[in-house]
Amino acid sequence: FENDLIKKYFDENNEPGFAYAYENPGINKIQQCVGRVIRSQNERGAALLIDTRYGRSPYKDLFRGYWSNFDIVENEKDIKISLEKFWKGFEA
């Protein structure tokens, strides 16, 4: 209900209501969750965003530049390959 009110307010003021009410808060929650995985420079972790919307605008545009190194996968086998490649990058 609250998000619908926010959306309505911004839409009525010729602003992107859906972005203010849903997209931006959703991206903030994703960043907070990843922050719980990776809490220091010495820790490593992977975040899997499992939804096609994260690979396209406007969602993709909302991520910071350091989130630009990602793989788009379409099945379980591709996930495994991508994660193995990710973790291999940390081997000494």
Side-chain angles (χ1 to χ4, degrees):
F1 178 73
E2 183 178 314
N3 287 1
D4 289 340
L5 290 176
I6 293 169
K7 180 184 180 309
K8 181 179 177 185
Y9 170 82
F10 283 105
D11 285 343
E12 289 173 352
N13 289 285
N14 296 319
E15 296 287 336
F18 186 78
Y20 285 118
Y22 296 101
E23 291 172 350
N24 294 336
I27 295 299
N28 285 339
K29 287 181 182 183
I30 289 169
Q31 291 177 337
Q32 289 171 345
C33 289
V34 171
R36 292 183 186 107
V37 174
I38 306 167
R39 298 172 305 222
S40 75
Q41 292 179 343
N42 297 327
E43 294 183 332
R44 302 288 183 251
L48 306 177
L49 303 182
I50 303 175
D51 195 315
T52 57
R53 69 183 138 177
Y54 299 118
R56 30 177 224 264
S57 295
Y59 295 94
K60 184 177 168 184
D61 301 335
L62 293 172
F63 290 108
R64 294 183 178 159
Y66 58 83
W67 283 52
S68 62
N69 185 17
F70 61 90
D71 292 333
I72 296 175
V73 297
E74 296 187 11
N75 56 54
E76 187 177 330
K77 180 181 176 187
D78 290 346
I79 292 171
K80 183 178 180 188
I81 292 168
S82 182
L83 285 172
E84 286 172 351
K85 182 176 79 172
F86 172 80
W87 290 112
K88 190 172 190 139
F90 295 106
E91 293 177 1

